[in-house]
């Protein structure tokens, strides 16, 4: 990055960088002058922060960060977590007061910020916007308190009142690509660890979309290495919540890879890690329930899937996939009950009709070695029938006992 370029911009931005004085919705409506609009109804700041339909870009899906381009930039969009050199002016919308200006004053100069950095408590909005800009671009940005200085505000420099809506004028002067972070090191800062994990998650997402599931597993696993237990146990409040948010995203994506591979035991292990810290994670409940059903654990599967359905009903419409899995698990349960009932009945009937010792001796020469072979053949026929894998396993376990019990060979002869 060049400081010379920043100096040039600092001269030109005196007239260009003037942050909006009113929310975007007010700018687009009314013939009222700016001052009368600003003072007419301050509660409008909260009730109708911005008219997102008139924004060039909604940076955050909730509408908490909205951007309008004033001057187009050139080249590629700034990469995530690049170190950016920017000029910006910030304004408190309720009072119109400017709280930050890097363009004016004796020591005016561009400042460094990290594009897309959100592992911070204050001014997350402006950092998110930087990851959407190009070099030379100037934009106006509206930021809700959640992405500004929050409910508490800031009482040192800069002075920001609680729950303040902010506006910015930002110019992207230059940037440097993020440095590679290949090894987990004690020298990494909290922000660098989070950002390394985020980059690996995004890389894994791209690989997963391309169908390279094995490489995606490696990327997600690498990201999790930056969020190990020793690191997380040192964190509190916002910093802990942000780290766990990223870890849960990585674990969820890793579980999706295991589903693709049919590694259902791994699916259960990873989703259980998620549910240990987020008991209401619907995706984790659904994936674990589906994996348990595939392994024949229908009772546990139904517990997970019913909980996922219940939580979905509390927040939104239930995913049809959850309903299909519940129906399939119920069908498996009914099928298991029918097969078990048939087997138990056959066992009881064979016991009641078992031949006496006299019958065995009378038919001994006729049975010879064919009896056990015939029983085994019968078992083989049963096993090759079209049944679920758990049914065949049960038949394999019961057949040897059944064959000897039914023929009367074994305990009676030993007793004599």
């Amino acid at each position: 990055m060049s400081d010379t370029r920043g100096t040039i911009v600092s001269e030109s931005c005196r007239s260009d960088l003037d942050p909006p004085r009113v929310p975007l919705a007010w700018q687009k409506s009314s013939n009222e002058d700016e001052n009368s609009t600003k003072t007419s109804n301050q509660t409008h700041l909260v009730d109708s922060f911005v008219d997102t339909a008139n924004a060039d870009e909604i940076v955050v899906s909730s509408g908490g960060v909205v951007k309008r381009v004033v001057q187009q930039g050139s080249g590629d969009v700034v990469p995530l977590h690049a170190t950016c050199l920017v000029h910006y002016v910030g304004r408190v919308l309720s009072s119109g007061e400017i709280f930050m200006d890097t363009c004016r004053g004796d020591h005016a100069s561009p400042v460094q910020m990290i594009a897309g950095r959100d592992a911070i408590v204050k001014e997350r909005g402006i950092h998110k916007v930087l990851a959407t800009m190009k070099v030379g671009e100037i934009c106006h940005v509206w930021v809700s308190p959640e992405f500004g200085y929050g409910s508490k505000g800031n009482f040192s420099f800069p002075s920001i009142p609680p729950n303040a809506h902010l506006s910015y004028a930002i110019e992207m002067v230059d940037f440097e690509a993020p440095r590679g972070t290949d090894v987990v090191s004690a020298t990494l800062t909290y922000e660098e660890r989070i950002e390394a994990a985020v980059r690996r998650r995004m890389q894994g997402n791209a690989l997963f979309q391309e169908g390279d599931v094995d490489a995606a597993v490696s990327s997600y696993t690498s990201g999790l290495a930056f969020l190990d237990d020793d690191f997380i146990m040192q964190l509190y409040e916002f910093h802990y919540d942000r780290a766990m948010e990223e870890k849960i995203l990585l674990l969820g994506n890793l579980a999706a890879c295991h589903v693709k591979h049919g590694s259902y035991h791994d699916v259960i292990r990873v989703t259980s890690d998620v549910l240990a810290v987020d008991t209401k994670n619907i995706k984790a409940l659904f994936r674990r329930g589906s994996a348990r059903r595939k392994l024949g654990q229908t009772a546990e599967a139904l517990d997970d899937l019913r909980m996922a359905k219940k939580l979905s009903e509390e927040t939104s419409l239930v995913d049809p996939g959850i309903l299909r899995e519940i129906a399939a698990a119920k069908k498996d349960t009914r099928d298991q009950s029918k097969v078990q009932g048939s087997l138990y009945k056959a066992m009881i009937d064979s016991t009641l009709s078992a031949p006496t010792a006299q019958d065995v001796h009378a038919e001994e020469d006729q049975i010879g070695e064919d009896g056990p072979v015939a029983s085994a053949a019968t078992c083989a026929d049963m096993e090759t029938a079209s049944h679920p894998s758990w049914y065949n396993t049960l038949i394999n376990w019961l057949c040897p006992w059944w064959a000897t019990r039914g023929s009367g060979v074994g305990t009676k002869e030993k007793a004599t």
Side-chain angles (χ1 to χ4, degrees), residues 7-17 171:
T7 303
I8 295 172
V9 175
S10 69
E11 292 298 322
S12 64
C13 74
R14 293 178 186 276
S15 59
D16 294 333
L17 289 192
E171 178 171 15

Side-chain angles (χ1 to χ4, degrees), residues 316-335:
S316 60
L317 295 176
V318 179
D319 189 318
I322 297 176
L323 300 178
R324 285 195 296 269
E325 283 294 316
I326 291 175
K330 287 181 177 179
K331 183 178 183 300
D332 289 347
T333 301
R334 291 193 298 269
D335 291 345

Side-chain angles (χ1 to χ4, degrees), residues 19-304:
R21 295 176 179 272
V22 293
L24 181 58
W26 290 355
Q27 282 197 331
K28 295 296 293 186
S29 63
S30 84
N31 295 319
E32 299 174 284
D33 65 69
E34 183 177 284
N35 292 331
S36 64
T37 305
K38 185 177 68 174
T39 57
S40 61
N41 185 5
Q42 293 298 329
T43 60
H44 190 54
L45 283 168
V46 177
D47 297 337
S48 180
F49 174 53
V50 290
D51 178 8
T52 54
N54 293 312
D56 291 332
E57 184 170 355
I58 302 172
V59 180
V60 177
S61 59
S62 65
V65 181
V66 178
K67 166 187 169 185
R68 173 181 286 168
V69 176
V70 176
Q71 175 181 298
Q72 296 290 340
S74 60
D76 296 329
V77 174
V78 174
L80 185 66
H81 302 146
T83 301
C84 302
L85 196 65
V86 300
H87 271 300
Y88 78 101
V89 182
R91 186 190 301 277
V92 178
L93 281 173
S94 59
S95 64
E97 178 183 355
I98 288 178
F99 63 86
M100 178 62 70
D101 188 343
T102 66
C103 294
R104 302 166 179 82
D106 295 336
H107 303 287
S109 64
V111 296
Q112 288 189 358
M113 292 184 171
I114 305 299
R117 172 168 284 181
D118 67 351
I120 49 178
V121 178
K122 300 173 181 177
E123 286 200 305
R124 286 188 296 152
I126 189 172
H127 287 81
K128 285 181 175 291
V129 169
L130 297 181
T132 71
M133 298 181 68
K134 299 179 179 180
V135 172
E137 179 180 325
I138 297 176
C139 65
H140 287 169
V141 178
W142 290 261
V143 176
S144 66
E146 179 186 359
F147 297 95
Y149 285 83
S151 60
K152 296 181 180 180
N154 197 62
F155 297 98
S156 59
F157 180 80
S159 178
I160 308 293
N163 293 312
H165 289 78
L166 309 175
S167 67
Y168 293 91
I170 309 170
E171 178 171 15
M172 177 64 66
V173 179
D174 207 346
F175 70 87
E176 271 183 3
R179 66 183 180 89
T181 308
D182 297 321
V183 181
V184 180
S185 168
T187 62
L188 294 177
T189 65
Y190 164 81
E191 290 83 5
E192 288 171 337
R193 276 180 175 259
I194 300 295
E195 289 158 9
V198 170
R199 287 196 296 275
R200 280 154 181 77
R201 174 169 58 83
M202 296 184 70
Q203 180 185 42
N205 292 350
L207 291 167
F208 186 87
Q209 292 296 326
E210 293 168 3
D212 194 346
V213 180
D214 289 335
V217 168
S218 297
S219 290
Y220 296 141
T221 304
S222 175
L224 287 166
F226 289 89
L227 305 175
D228 59 276
D229 292 340
D230 289 340
F231 166 65
I232 288 182
M233 69 184 297
Q234 303 175 53
L235 306 177
Y236 298 92
E237 297 180 348
F238 169 85
H239 297 92
Y240 172 84
D241 292 342
R242 179 64 189 91
M244 288 307 302
E245 176 188 2
E246 186 58 38
K247 187 169 185 175
I248 287 172
L249 289 172
L250 283 163
L251 287 170
N253 292 355
L254 185 59
C257 292
H258 291 321
V259 170
K260 281 282 188 182
H261 278 154
S263 304
Y264 299 120
H265 289 290
D266 288 330
V267 174
I268 293 172
R269 173 179 55 81
V270 172
T271 51
S272 294
D273 288 344
V274 173
L275 292 166
V277 294
D278 182 7
T279 58
K280 296 185 177 181
N281 191 297
I282 296 173
K283 281 188 176 180
L285 286 165
F286 171 70
R287 286 171 176 154
R288 190 172 72 174
S290 299
R292 283 175 163 172
R293 186 182 75 81
K294 294 292 196 304
L295 295 174
Q297 303 170 10
T298 51
E300 296 87 347
L302 280 170
D303 288 342
D304 284 341

